[in-house]
Amino acid sequence: MKVLTAVDSFKGSIDSSEINRIIAKELENRGLEVIQKPLADGGEGTIDALIDAEIAERIECTVTGGLGEKITSYYAMMHDGTAVIEIAQICGLPMIPPNKRNPLYTTTYGVGEAIIHAIEHGAVNIVITLGGSATNDVGIGMLQALGVTITTPSHQSVLSGAAALEAITHIDFSTCITSNKDVSLTVITDVQNPLWGPDGATYIFGPQKGMTPDDLMQIEKQIQRLCTISPILQKYQDTPGAGAAGGLGAACLALGAQIFDGADWFMEKLQIKETIPQVDVVITGEGRLDSQTLSGKAPVSIARHAQHLNKSVIAIAGSIDTSLLPDFYESGIKSCLSVIPGIQTLEQAMSLSQVQKNISYISQQIASFLTWSKE
């Protein structure tokens, strides 16, 4: 029996490649043949998965972090000249201490600096992954770094963060340095939210980034106002994905970027769909199986494709929203398994050593089940 293991990272505890290595080891110990594929969908861990798959190399760069400080970050340069920039590695929530998370003051400026760095290092295509941001500045920081003219009534440059949006009275995209560069821009995301509105960037994602109810109302008002003074932002305000990364999606669209589903893009680059017909069983999963998983994240994208090929899919996770089991089954997942064998605190379950043991445990159970008929 041949098995494909393609499990996304358990965010905050273990990356995709290590999860798949643990699973493969346990399955191979029972005589099963395993193909490993790292998995991501545009969020945290995307560029590491590309690098681990040996289709890209790590390029380090010094950029401005989410709080305005200089940091050492990195992006992935693929062999075809495509640079993949993961904003979670620059201005993502994991990069900022919980007590300092506040989108009123966090900036996307470093994303623009990373784009410039990649262009200077020969990138002909730039891909920006929009998951995991700590920002809500509509990409104003990135645009400033790229030379877009953004000024106040007194023609002064604006400060960083969402709090500075109210000072903006003029946006001129014609001064952007990418406009005279022979480079294409792509964004990948796993969310379909518009720029503003009840399902937009601020109201849906602002609270988890540190915004108060009063902040939400004020920033939403300013984003709507920006769309009235910038026809190009207004053009893309309702485009699915424009609200990704605190509106960074809209800023990228305004620069001419194409937008793609993160899971589909990643599976194409790793040739995961081409691998599924070669195996009997697929093991996938992520840290938590919930409504967001069903909205188009990588495990469900894999399951739906496998379903068309009559391949069995097992999904593993740290936790599972059991009320959604019928929906997971309908998507093509045959079995949803929690890796946690008994009572554990959240801190225990998230620790690297414990999560390694938990994944090893569930892998042994899966291996036992898959080899049952041979015993």
Side-chain angles (χ1 to χ4, degrees):
M1 179 179 288
K2 186 178 289 188
V3 180
L4 167 63
T5 173
V7 181
D8 202 346
S9 63
F10 285 18
K11 292 177 176 58
S13 58
I14 188 170
D15 65 35
S16 172
S17 295
E18 185 169 4
I19 294 172
N20 291 305
R21 283 194 292 268
I22 293 171
I23 297 172
K25 178 183 176 181
E26 298 297 346
L27 268 58
E28 288 168 350
N29 285 342
R30 299 297 290 267
L32 296 167
E33 185 177 351
V34 182
I35 299 175
Q36 299 178 54
K37 293 284 186 179
L39 189 63
D41 52 24
E44 179 186 345
T46 297
I47 56 176
D48 286 335
L50 293 171
I51 294 167
D52 288 344
E54 299 182 347
I55 63 172
E57 63 175 313
R58 173 179 170 137
I59 305 294
E60 291 196 351
C61 57
T62 300
V63 297
T64 301
L67 295 174
E69 78 287 21
K70 287 296 181 180
I71 63 169
T72 298
S73 187
Y74 63 98
Y75 55 89
M77 183 72 82
M78 300 178 67
H79 305 321
D80 63 357
T82 297
V84 184
I85 297 170
E86 180 183 310
I87 68 167
Q89 291 289 345
I90 298 172
C91 55
L93 281 173
M95 304 289 291
I96 298 176
N99 64 333
K100 293 185 178 181
R101 292 175 183 173
N102 189 338
L104 294 180
Y105 308 108
T106 50
T107 179
T108 55
Y109 196 92
V111 178
E113 292 176 316
I115 291 172
I116 294 170
H117 191 279
I119 292 173
E120 291 175 346
H121 282 71
V124 294
N125 304 296
I126 306 288
V127 177
I128 303 174
T129 73
L130 297 183
S133 83
T135 58
N136 206 99
D137 69 350
V138 198
I140 294 299
M142 177 196 73
L143 295 175
Q144 287 178 302
L146 292 175
V148 175
T149 302
I150 303 171
T151 55
T152 68
S154 58
H155 304 291
Q156 299 296 311
S157 296
V158 299
L159 300 176
S160 300
L165 298 180
E166 65 179 347
I168 297 172
T169 56
H170 177 71
I171 303 177
D172 182 3
F173 284 88
S174 69
T175 57
C176 181
I177 65 171
T178 61
S179 61
N180 58 7
K181 302 286 185 181
D182 187 18
V183 61
S184 66
L185 186 63
T186 299
V187 292
I188 60 175
T189 179
D190 61 357
V191 303
Q192 302 296 307
N193 305 77
L195 178 56
W196 59 271
D199 296 320
T202 303
Y203 281 120
I204 295 300
F205 304 111
Q208 70 190 47
K209 298 177 183 181
M211 282 194 182
T212 68
D214 285 343
D215 293 337
L216 298 176
M217 290 188 291
Q218 291 300 317
I219 298 308
E220 180 77 350
K221 179 180 177 180
Q222 295 305 320
I223 292 175
Q224 292 181 45
R225 187 185 63 81
L226 285 184
C227 290
T228 66
I229 67 172
S230 173
I232 194 166
L233 284 178
Q234 188 175 54
K235 176 182 178 180
Y236 294 109
Q237 64 186 20
D238 295 321
T239 302
L248 184 60
C252 291
L253 289 167
L255 295 177
Q258 292 182 295
I259 191 165
F260 292 98
D261 175 78
D264 285 345
W265 184 90
F266 194 87
M267 286 193 291
E268 176 187 344
K269 296 303 179 185
L270 269 292
Q271 298 184 319
I272 290 176
K273 289 184 178 180
E274 291 85 346
T275 304
I276 292 174
Q278 305 172 27
V279 303
D280 303 293
V281 176
V282 177
I283 301 174
T284 188
E286 60 180 351
R288 176 168 169 78
L289 296 174
D290 56 18
S291 59
Q292 291 189 30
T293 309
L294 291 167
S295 70
K297 289 207 169 186
V300 163
S301 293
I302 285 178
R304 286 172 177 158
H305 185 74
Q307 187 177 43
H308 293 310
L309 300 172
N310 295 315
K311 303 294 184 179
S312 297
V313 178
I314 300 169
I316 67 171
S319 64
I320 301 167
D321 185 342
T322 56
S323 70
L324 296 175
L325 286 176
D327 300 293
F328 291 129
Y329 298 150
E330 185 178 352
S331 75
I333 296 173
K334 298 297 184 183
S335 180
C336 297
L337 304 175
S338 171
V339 303
I340 299 176
I343 297 174
Q344 295 176 4
T345 65
L346 179 60
E347 184 179 1
Q348 289 172 330
M350 291 283 288
S351 69
L352 179 59
S353 61
Q354 187 61 57
V355 77
Q356 289 170 330
K357 292 177 183 177
N358 289 346
I359 292 169
S360 180
Y361 153 77
I362 201 63
S363 301
Q364 292 170 18
Q365 306 311 305
I366 293 172
S368 178
F369 174 76
L370 293 179
T371 57
W372 201 311
S373 61
K374 296 181 180 180
E375 298 177 349

